[in-house]
Amino acid sequence: MNCKKMDIKPFEKRVWLSSPTMHGDELKYITEAYDTNWMSTIGENINKVESIAAEKANVKYAVALSCCTAALHLCVKSAGERLYGKPSIGHGAVEGKRVFCSDLTFNATLNPVMYEGGTPVLIDSERDSWNMDPVALEKAFEMYPDVKLVVYAELYGFPGNVRQIKEICEKHGALLIEDAAEAMGATWEGKQCGSFGDYSAISYNGNKIITGSSGGCLLTNDIEVVNKARKWSTQAREDAVWYQHEEIGYNYRMSNVIAGVVRGQYVYLEEHIEQKKAIYERYKEGLKELPIKMNPFDAEKSKPNYWLSAMIIDEGYMCKQVRNDSVAWYTPENGKSCPTEILEAISSINAEGRPIWKPMHMQPMHKMHEFVTRADSGRANTNTYIEGGCADIGMDIFDRGLCLPSDNKMTEEQQSRIIDVIKACFE
Ligand SMILES: *Cc1c(COP(=O)(O)O)cnc(C)c1O
């Protein structure tokens, strides 16, 4: 670790990026499941999670599933069937079809498209929110007017203009899948993330804003989608006295024990958001003298859930940093730094930061998939200069950005120490 003048004491107990925060109510509902013997994928906790999730997100229905990835998979299957008809025995719902997808996201956003045989076309991010760029999406529809499905993810709980994305989809007769895994409780123009998509998904993974240790929900206003998701998620049994099967099924239902944890957590969603917001604001204040910016959002229209605080280093203040597919190198320089140096410094005091999601268009498994920026095909012209810098915005954010320790149990004193460490990197 090359960070200059670093003599800051490490934490005895690790400060996590974002770890589960339990409150006690969870145990009550788990115990209830145990005592009533509903140790199953049926039970009162599951029913309650479905009604609470739908109510919180302001949609008609929620289907409780084993994880958000499963929810996204069933979203893709539903959308594929509606758009292209039912595939034989139900596999390959978007086989051979292009699907526009967020580029700067976790790969769980894209995997379900791959499960169903689709071909992702990756859409670059906008500077203003780091989410999918509506201008690039329009560009993509110009290039591929026959595309009928868009998968959009909200990054780190900071919504972009998802209303505009939905309008663009409608204009082109496309359906929208909203991956709100990171954005539960966040809003755009007062409307909940997870309520913009024709189909949406939220996550209760261990590091999300609230957690069941795992789990997720599919959200929709369409009862037919609900019925299909229920059937598919329980091995696709037909209505018959024996086990009758006409199509592929999955074992995707949420456990009633997990649902007990989720049920207990929902009460604390707003509290968690407040804590995460305070963390973001303390970073913003503490780092204001440095040549960095916090992850951006439209202060008028966007109400983030502040799941992860992230920062980006101003262009002129990056020391030299090179990354290949697994390793990073950098040359320390006075007055400058880079994500690699800052992440090493944070880790050296026993805290956990994380690089920005590596954009999907830079991943080996997606190298053959088209990538569209607001300027053009990002594959042909990765370095086309456009106003505001490099045309490939996702790569630029990955290069200069990083996620900061954002655990809601982190004390102010601990956070001050992390801020001091980041400052030391720029000395
Ligand atoms: C966490 C996450 C998922 C997957 O959630 P699981 O519940 O772990 O399956 C999907 N998309 C995004 C953007 C995520 O951050």
Side-chain angles (χ1 to χ4, degrees), residues 67-70 72 105-106 108-109 153-154 179 181-182 203-205 207-208 215-216 307 357:
C67 62
C68 177
T69 312
L72 287 166
T105 182
F106 185 39
T109 308
E154 275 116 357
D179 178 357
E182 303 175 3
S203 172
Y204 311 113
N205 171 303
N207 72 6
K208 297 285 166 30
W307 174 55
W357 299 128

Side-chain angles (χ1 to χ4, degrees), residues 154-364:
E154 275 116 357
L155 194 71
Y156 302 141
F158 291 73
N161 196 342
V162 55
R163 184 185 296 280
Q164 193 186 351
I165 296 281
K166 180 74 173 95
E167 284 165 6
I168 294 170
C169 290
E170 281 167 6
K171 192 173 102 189
H172 295 277
L175 296 174
L176 176 66
I177 295 174
E178 185 187 4
D179 178 357
E182 303 175 3
M184 196 193 309
T187 62
W188 176 268
E189 290 175 355
K191 195 167 145 54
Q192 287 283 325
C193 290
S195 71
F196 287 91
D198 297 286
Y199 317 85
S200 305
I202 49 175
S203 172
Y204 311 113
N205 171 303
N207 72 6
K208 297 285 166 30
I209 189 98
I210 59 166
T211 182
S213 72
S214 67
C217 272
L218 183 157
L219 306 175
T220 181
N221 290 317
D222 186 344
I223 187 69
E224 261 185 62
V225 174
V226 173
N227 292 337
K228 276 188 193 169
R230 291 230 157 93
K231 181 183 171 195
W232 288 334
S233 64
T234 52
Q235 306 288 19
R237 197 179 159 189
E238 299 301 324
D239 190 13
V241 284
W242 46 76
Y243 280 79
Q244 178 86 3
H245 300 285
E246 293 175 4
E247 60 178 331
I248 289 177
Y250 305 86
N251 185 1
Y252 276 176
R253 201 70 170 132
M254 182 184 281
S255 139
N256 193 46
V257 178
I258 300 248
V261 186
V262 177
R263 183 179 175 188
Q265 284 264 289
Y266 256 114
V267 189
Y268 298 92
L269 176 58
E270 283 77 21
E271 185 182 309
H272 287 192
I273 294 174
E274 279 311 307
Q275 291 164 340
K276 297 268 188 181
K277 183 179 181 191
I279 289 168
Y280 180 90
E281 281 169 356
R282 282 201 292 270
Y283 276 128
K284 192 168 179 175
E285 178 62 26
L287 300 171
K288 69 174 184 224
E289 311 280 298
L290 295 182
I292 67 111
K293 285 176 190 60
M294 296 299 291
N295 38 346
F297 64 96
D298 181 329
E300 266 171 39
K301 295 181 173 163
S302 169
K303 255 201 170 61
N305 70 5
Y306 300 89
W307 174 55
L308 289 189
S309 288
M311 55 167 264
I312 183 164
I313 299 171
D314 291 349
E315 256 161 305
Y317 293 86
M318 280 281 291
C319 66
K320 195 173 169 55
Q321 172 191 252
V322 179
R323 287 164 163 166
N324 72 5
D325 274 347
S326 55
V327 188
W329 298 268
Y330 66 96
T331 312
E333 206 178 319
N334 288 341
K336 296 186 176 182
S337 191
C338 62
T340 308
E341 181 179 48
I342 295 172
L343 287 169
E344 280 180 10
I346 287 173
S347 161
S348 79
I349 63 161
N350 200 20
E352 185 190 22
R354 190 201 264 169
I356 299 292
W357 299 128
K358 182 170 177 173
M360 291 299 124
H361 80 275
M362 296 170 73
Q363 303 288 355

